[in-house]
Amino acid sequence: MQEKLIRWYQDNHRDFPWRENDDPYRIWISEIMLQQTTTEAVIPYFERFMKVFPDVIALGKAPLDDVYKLWEGLGYYRRAKHLHETALLIKEKYDGHFPRDYQDILSLKGIGQYTAGAISSIAFHQCVPAVDGNVLRIISRLYLLDDNIALNKTQKKIYQIVEKLIQHQDASSFNQGLMDLGAMICRPLHPHCQLCPIQDDCQAYQHHQQDVLPVNIKKIRHQDIHYITGVITYQEKFLLLKNKEGLLENLYGFVQYDLESPYSFVERFHDEYGQDLQINCFIKDIKHVFTHRTWYMHIYHFELTQEMAGMYSLEQIAQLPISTAHQKVLKAFLKYQ
Ligand code: SF4
Protein backbone atom coordinates (compact mmCIF):
# COMPACT_ATOMS: atom_id res chain seq x y z
CA MET A 1 0.00 0.00 0.00
CA GLN A 2 2.77 2.43 0.98
CA GLU A 3 4.65 1.87 -2.27
CA LYS A 4 1.52 2.38 -4.38
CA LEU A 5 0.72 5.59 -2.54
CA ILE A 6 4.26 6.94 -2.82
CA ARG A 7 4.46 6.16 -6.55
CA TRP A 8 1.07 7.80 -7.11
CA TYR A 9 2.21 10.89 -5.20
CA GLN A 10 5.42 11.18 -7.18
CA ASP A 11 3.50 11.04 -10.48
CA ASN A 12 0.43 13.09 -9.54
CA HIS A 13 1.28 15.52 -6.77
CA ARG A 14 -0.09 19.05 -6.74
CA ASP A 15 2.38 21.86 -7.42
CA PHE A 16 2.52 24.49 -4.70
CA PRO A 17 5.10 27.23 -4.18
CA TRP A 18 6.07 25.68 -0.82
CA ARG A 19 6.87 22.42 -2.57
CA GLU A 20 9.62 23.97 -4.70
CA ASN A 21 12.28 22.79 -2.24
CA ASP A 22 12.73 21.20 1.20
CA ASP A 23 13.45 24.43 3.08
CA PRO A 24 12.00 23.89 6.60
CA TYR A 25 11.23 27.61 6.92
CA ARG A 26 8.97 27.58 3.83
CA ILE A 27 7.31 24.34 4.93
CA TRP A 28 6.70 25.74 8.41
CA ILE A 29 5.15 28.98 7.12
CA SER A 30 2.95 27.12 4.64
CA GLU A 31 1.76 24.59 7.22
CA ILE A 32 0.82 27.35 9.67
CA MET A 33 -1.01 29.28 6.94
CA LEU A 34 -2.81 26.11 5.82
CA GLN A 35 -4.32 25.53 9.27
CA GLN A 36 -8.02 26.31 8.82
CA THR A 37 -7.41 27.85 5.37
CA THR A 38 -7.66 26.38 1.85
CA THR A 39 -4.61 25.95 -0.38
CA GLU A 40 -6.05 28.33 -3.02
CA ALA A 41 -6.48 31.07 -0.42
CA VAL A 42 -3.02 30.49 1.04
CA ILE A 43 -0.96 30.68 -2.22
CA PRO A 44 -1.02 34.52 -2.66
CA TYR A 45 -0.44 35.07 1.07
CA PHE A 46 2.48 32.65 1.04
CA GLU A 47 4.09 34.29 -1.99
CA ARG A 48 3.76 37.80 -0.52
CA PHE A 49 5.10 36.59 2.82
CA MET A 50 8.15 34.99 1.21
CA LYS A 51 8.95 38.14 -0.74
CA VAL A 52 8.96 40.27 2.42
CA PHE A 53 10.33 37.66 4.86
CA PRO A 54 12.43 35.22 2.80
CA ASP A 55 13.98 33.56 5.86
CA VAL A 56 13.70 33.14 9.59
CA ILE A 57 16.12 36.03 10.31
CA ALA A 58 14.08 38.48 8.21
CA LEU A 59 10.90 37.40 10.00
CA GLY A 60 12.46 37.70 13.46
CA LYS A 61 13.78 41.18 12.71
CA ALA A 62 10.46 42.58 11.45
CA PRO A 63 8.11 44.63 13.66
CA LEU A 64 5.13 42.49 14.74
CA ASP A 65 2.70 44.93 13.08
CA ASP A 66 4.31 44.20 9.67
CA VAL A 67 3.72 40.47 10.18
CA TYR A 68 0.09 41.12 11.12
CA LYS A 69 -0.35 43.35 8.08
CA LEU A 70 0.68 40.50 5.76
CA TRP A 71 -1.62 38.15 7.67
CA GLU A 72 -4.62 40.47 7.33
CA GLY A 73 -7.61 38.49 6.03
CA LEU A 74 -6.17 35.03 6.78
CA GLY A 75 -7.83 34.91 10.21
CA TYR A 76 -6.70 33.19 13.42
CA TYR A 77 -4.23 35.98 14.04
CA ARG A 78 -2.56 34.30 16.97
CA ARG A 79 -0.76 32.24 14.34
CA ALA A 80 1.07 35.36 13.13
CA LYS A 81 2.15 36.22 16.65
CA HIS A 82 3.45 32.70 17.28
CA LEU A 83 5.38 32.72 13.98
CA HIS A 84 7.07 35.94 14.97
CA GLU A 85 7.95 34.71 18.48
CA THR A 86 9.24 31.43 17.12
CA ALA A 87 11.39 33.18 14.49
CA LEU A 88 13.02 35.22 17.27
CA LEU A 89 13.63 32.09 19.33
CA ILE A 90 15.16 30.20 16.38
CA LYS A 91 17.45 33.17 15.76
CA GLU A 92 18.62 33.24 19.36
CA LYS A 93 18.59 29.59 20.43
CA TYR A 94 19.48 27.86 17.14
CA ASP A 95 21.57 30.59 15.54
CA GLY A 96 18.92 31.14 12.85
CA HIS A 97 18.86 27.47 11.73
CA PHE A 98 15.56 25.62 11.94
CA PRO A 99 15.94 22.78 14.52
CA ARG A 100 16.09 19.26 13.03
CA ASP A 101 15.09 17.25 16.09
CA TYR A 102 11.38 16.31 16.20
CA GLN A 103 11.01 17.11 19.93
CA ASP A 104 12.74 20.48 19.43
CA ILE A 105 10.36 21.28 16.57
CA LEU A 106 7.36 20.18 18.63
CA SER A 107 8.41 22.47 21.48
CA LEU A 108 8.17 25.59 19.29
CA LYS A 109 5.22 27.87 19.89
CA GLY A 110 2.24 27.31 17.58
CA ILE A 111 3.58 23.93 16.37
CA GLY A 112 1.52 20.88 17.31
CA GLN A 113 1.99 17.21 16.55
CA TYR A 114 0.71 17.44 12.96
CA THR A 115 2.87 20.43 11.97
CA ALA A 116 5.97 19.00 13.68
CA GLY A 117 5.39 15.74 11.77
CA ALA A 118 4.95 17.56 8.46
CA ILE A 119 8.15 19.62 8.91
CA SER A 120 10.22 16.65 10.16
CA SER A 121 9.13 14.35 7.36
CA ILE A 122 9.11 16.81 4.44
CA ALA A 123 12.17 18.90 5.29
CA PHE A 124 14.30 16.34 7.16
CA HIS A 125 12.90 13.02 5.81
CA GLN A 126 12.28 11.61 9.29
CA CYS A 127 9.75 8.78 9.58
CA VAL A 128 7.13 10.56 11.70
CA PRO A 129 3.39 10.73 10.98
CA ALA A 130 1.60 13.96 10.11
CA VAL A 131 -1.98 13.13 11.01
CA ASP A 132 -4.59 15.72 10.08
CA GLY A 133 -8.26 15.40 9.15
CA ASN A 134 -7.40 13.92 5.74
CA VAL A 135 -5.30 11.18 7.29
CA LEU A 136 -7.92 10.38 9.96
CA ARG A 137 -10.47 9.94 7.19
CA ILE A 138 -8.28 7.82 4.90
CA ILE A 139 -7.08 5.48 7.66
CA SER A 140 -10.59 5.14 9.03
CA ARG A 141 -11.73 4.00 5.58
CA LEU A 142 -8.69 1.84 4.81
CA TYR A 143 -9.07 -0.11 8.06
CA LEU A 144 -12.87 0.05 8.27
CA LEU A 145 -12.70 1.77 11.67
CA ASP A 146 -16.05 2.76 13.10
CA ASP A 147 -14.53 4.78 15.98
CA ASN A 148 -15.44 8.46 16.15
CA ILE A 149 -12.44 10.34 14.69
CA ALA A 150 -13.38 13.48 16.65
CA LEU A 151 -12.25 11.72 19.83
CA ASN A 152 -8.68 11.90 21.13
CA LYS A 153 -8.44 8.16 21.72
CA THR A 154 -9.31 7.45 18.05
CA GLN A 155 -6.78 10.02 16.91
CA LYS A 156 -4.11 8.30 19.04
CA LYS A 157 -5.04 4.91 17.61
CA ILE A 158 -4.77 6.23 14.05
CA TYR A 159 -1.46 7.94 14.85
CA GLN A 160 -0.07 4.58 15.99
CA ILE A 161 -1.26 2.90 12.78
CA VAL A 162 0.45 5.55 10.64
CA GLU A 163 3.58 5.35 12.79
CA LYS A 164 3.93 1.69 11.81
CA LEU A 165 3.06 2.27 8.15
CA ILE A 166 5.65 5.02 7.66
CA GLN A 167 8.69 3.13 9.00
CA HIS A 168 11.44 2.58 6.37
CA GLN A 169 9.47 4.57 3.78
CA ASP A 170 10.09 7.80 1.91
CA ALA A 171 8.33 9.71 4.69
CA SER A 172 8.06 12.97 2.75
CA SER A 173 6.25 11.36 -0.19
CA PHE A 174 4.18 9.12 2.08
CA ASN A 175 2.82 11.96 4.24
CA GLN A 176 2.32 14.29 1.29
CA GLY A 177 0.75 11.39 -0.62
CA LEU A 178 -1.85 11.04 2.13
CA MET A 179 -2.44 14.82 2.07
CA ASP A 180 -2.98 14.84 -1.70
CA LEU A 181 -5.01 11.66 -1.74
CA GLY A 182 -7.33 13.19 0.88
CA ALA A 183 -7.67 16.44 -1.05
CA MET A 184 -8.05 14.97 -4.56
CA ILE A 185 -9.43 11.42 -4.31
CA CYS A 186 -10.43 10.22 -0.86
CA ARG A 187 -12.52 13.33 -0.28
CA PRO A 188 -14.99 13.73 2.60
CA LEU A 189 -18.02 13.37 0.32
CA HIS A 190 -18.22 11.07 -2.71
CA PRO A 191 -14.63 9.76 -2.76
CA HIS A 192 -13.30 8.95 -6.26
CA CYS A 193 -12.59 5.30 -5.47
CA GLN A 194 -12.31 4.38 -9.16
CA LEU A 195 -9.21 6.58 -9.41
CA CYS A 196 -7.70 5.56 -6.09
CA PRO A 197 -4.20 4.04 -6.17
CA ILE A 198 -4.84 2.06 -2.95
CA GLN A 199 -8.32 0.82 -3.74
CA ASP A 200 -7.25 -2.85 -3.47
CA ASP A 201 -6.10 -2.24 0.11
CA CYS A 202 -9.21 -0.37 1.21
CA GLN A 203 -11.62 -2.27 3.40
CA ALA A 204 -14.28 0.45 3.31
CA TYR A 205 -14.36 0.15 -0.48
CA GLN A 206 -14.58 -3.63 -0.31
CA HIS A 207 -17.49 -3.40 2.14
CA HIS A 208 -19.20 -0.44 0.36
CA GLN A 209 -18.73 1.79 3.39
CA GLN A 210 -16.74 4.61 1.77
CA ASP A 211 -19.77 6.94 1.80
CA VAL A 212 -20.47 6.16 5.46
CA LEU A 213 -17.03 6.41 7.06
CA PRO A 214 -15.47 8.11 8.87
CA VAL A 215 -17.69 8.60 11.88
CA ASN A 216 -17.01 12.22 12.81
CA ILE A 217 -19.31 13.58 15.47
CA LYS A 218 -18.07 16.84 16.94
CA LYS A 219 -19.75 18.47 19.86
CA ILE A 220 -19.11 22.18 19.50
CA ARG A 221 -20.54 24.83 21.73
CA HIS A 222 -21.23 27.79 19.50
CA GLN A 223 -21.51 31.19 21.02
CA ASP A 224 -23.49 34.17 19.68
CA ILE A 225 -22.35 37.60 20.87
CA HIS A 226 -24.13 40.86 20.17
CA TYR A 227 -22.05 44.04 20.14
CA ILE A 228 -22.72 47.70 19.76
CA THR A 229 -19.80 48.60 17.52
CA GLY A 230 -18.84 52.26 17.47
CA VAL A 231 -17.35 54.05 14.50
CA ILE A 232 -16.07 56.95 16.58
CA THR A 233 -14.82 59.96 14.65
CA TYR A 234 -13.43 63.39 15.23
CA GLN A 235 -13.30 65.44 12.02
CA GLU A 236 -11.59 63.17 9.44
CA LYS A 237 -10.11 60.74 11.96
CA PHE A 238 -11.31 57.41 13.35
CA LEU A 239 -10.71 55.90 16.76
CA LEU A 240 -9.11 52.46 16.50
CA LEU A 241 -7.70 50.54 19.42
CA LYS A 242 -5.18 47.74 19.44
CA ASN A 243 -6.57 44.60 21.09
CA LYS A 244 -4.34 43.62 23.99
CA GLU A 245 -5.64 40.06 24.19
CA GLY A 246 -8.34 37.70 23.01
CA LEU A 247 -9.37 36.38 19.63
CA LEU A 248 -7.98 39.35 17.67
CA GLU A 249 -4.95 40.09 19.83
CA ASN A 250 -2.63 42.80 18.43
CA LEU A 251 -5.05 43.77 15.67
CA TYR A 252 -6.68 47.17 15.51
CA GLY A 253 -10.42 47.50 15.70
CA PHE A 254 -13.31 49.80 16.49
CA VAL A 255 -14.54 50.04 20.05
CA GLN A 256 -17.31 47.57 20.74
CA TYR A 257 -19.16 46.57 23.86
CA ASP A 258 -21.37 43.61 24.62
CA LEU A 259 -24.36 45.91 25.26
CA GLU A 260 -27.85 46.34 23.90
CA SER A 261 -28.15 50.07 23.41
CA PRO A 262 -26.04 52.87 21.89
CA TYR A 263 -26.96 55.00 24.94
CA SER A 264 -25.32 52.44 27.24
CA PHE A 265 -22.34 52.52 24.86
CA VAL A 266 -21.94 56.28 25.45
CA GLU A 267 -22.04 55.78 29.24
CA ARG A 268 -19.55 52.93 29.17
CA PHE A 269 -17.21 54.85 26.88
CA HIS A 270 -17.34 57.83 29.23
CA ASP A 271 -16.56 55.59 32.24
CA GLU A 272 -13.61 54.06 30.42
CA TYR A 273 -12.07 57.02 28.60
CA GLY A 274 -13.60 60.09 30.29
CA GLN A 275 -14.73 61.41 26.89
CA ASP A 276 -18.19 62.52 25.75
CA LEU A 277 -19.76 61.05 22.63
CA GLN A 278 -22.67 62.17 20.52
CA ILE A 279 -24.71 59.50 18.80
CA ASN A 280 -24.88 60.49 15.16
CA CYS A 281 -26.80 57.60 13.52
CA PHE A 282 -27.29 53.86 13.15
CA ILE A 283 -25.27 52.48 10.20
CA LYS A 284 -25.96 48.78 9.72
CA ASP A 285 -26.12 45.35 11.34
CA ILE A 286 -23.46 42.91 10.21
CA LYS A 287 -22.66 39.35 11.13
CA HIS A 288 -19.21 37.79 11.29
CA VAL A 289 -18.77 34.08 11.81
CA PHE A 290 -15.70 32.58 13.52
CA THR A 291 -15.30 28.83 14.09
CA HIS A 292 -16.88 28.68 17.53
CA ARG A 293 -18.67 32.00 17.73
CA THR A 294 -20.69 34.48 15.75
CA TRP A 295 -20.51 38.21 16.24
CA TYR A 296 -23.60 40.30 15.55
CA MET A 297 -22.24 43.83 15.22
CA HIS A 298 -24.79 46.63 15.46
CA ILE A 299 -22.85 49.55 14.04
CA TYR A 300 -23.44 53.16 15.13
CA HIS A 301 -21.62 56.34 14.25
CA PHE A 302 -20.53 58.40 17.26
CA GLU A 303 -18.71 61.72 17.25
CA LEU A 304 -16.16 62.91 19.79
CA THR A 305 -16.13 66.48 20.99
CA GLN A 306 -12.31 66.55 20.93
CA GLU A 307 -9.50 64.46 19.53
CA MET A 308 -8.08 61.68 21.69
CA ALA A 309 -5.17 59.23 21.46
CA GLY A 310 -5.56 56.36 18.97
CA MET A 311 -7.15 58.34 16.13
CA TYR A 312 -6.16 57.66 12.53
CA SER A 313 -6.89 59.06 9.08
CA LEU A 314 -8.06 56.69 6.32
CA GLU A 315 -4.52 56.72 4.81
CA GLN A 316 -3.05 55.68 8.14
CA ILE A 317 -5.72 53.01 8.63
CA ALA A 318 -4.68 51.43 5.31
CA GLN A 319 -1.29 50.66 6.91
CA LEU A 320 -2.68 49.09 10.10
CA PRO A 321 -3.44 45.40 10.60
CA ILE A 322 -7.21 45.20 10.98
CA SER A 323 -9.33 42.07 11.26
CA THR A 324 -11.77 41.19 8.50
CA ALA A 325 -14.73 41.80 10.84
CA HIS A 326 -13.65 45.38 11.52
CA GLN A 327 -12.79 46.01 7.88
CA LYS A 328 -16.42 45.15 7.14
CA VAL A 329 -17.45 47.76 9.70
CA LEU A 330 -15.32 50.45 8.04
CA LYS A 331 -16.66 49.52 4.59
CA ALA A 332 -20.26 49.72 5.84
CA PHE A 333 -19.57 53.15 7.33
CA LEU A 334 -17.90 54.53 4.18
CA LYS A 335 -20.72 53.17 2.02
CA TYR A 336 -23.32 54.76 4.30
CA GLN A 337 -21.57 58.09 4.01
S1 SF4 B 1 -10.80 3.27 -2.20
FE1 SF4 B 1 -12.09 5.03 -1.88
S2 SF4 B 1 -12.48 5.12 0.30
FE2 SF4 B 1 -10.76 3.74 -0.01
S3 SF4 B 1 -8.95 5.02 0.26
FE3 SF4 B 1 -9.43 4.99 -1.92
S4 SF4 B 1 -10.75 6.77 -2.28
FE4 SF4 B 1 -10.68 6.38 -0.06
Side-chain angles (χ1 to χ4, degrees), residues 138 141-142 181 185-186 191-193 196 198-199 202 204-205 210:
I138 296 168
R141 287 173 175 167
L142 265 179
L181 190 79
I185 309 251
C186 194
H192 299 310
C193 299
C196 181
I198 52 174
Q199 188 202 77
C202 179
Y205 180 72
Q210 67 271 25

Side-chain angles (χ1 to χ4, degrees), residues 140-142 144 202-210 213:
S140 171
R141 287 173 175 167
L142 265 179
L144 201 69
C202 179
Q203 294 189 46
Y205 180 72
Q206 278 146 31
H207 293 87
H208 309 290
Q209 296 300 300
Q210 67 271 25
L213 292 173

Side-chain angles (χ1 to χ4, degrees), residues 129-154:
V131 176
D132 67 352
N134 283 325
V135 178
L136 293 173
R137 180 173 66 253
I138 296 168
I139 298 297
S140 171
R141 287 173 175 167
L142 265 179
Y143 288 83
L144 201 69
L145 300 178
D146 59 7
D147 313 61
N148 181 2
I149 62 164
L151 300 178
N152 280 341
K153 64 173 184 186
T154 312

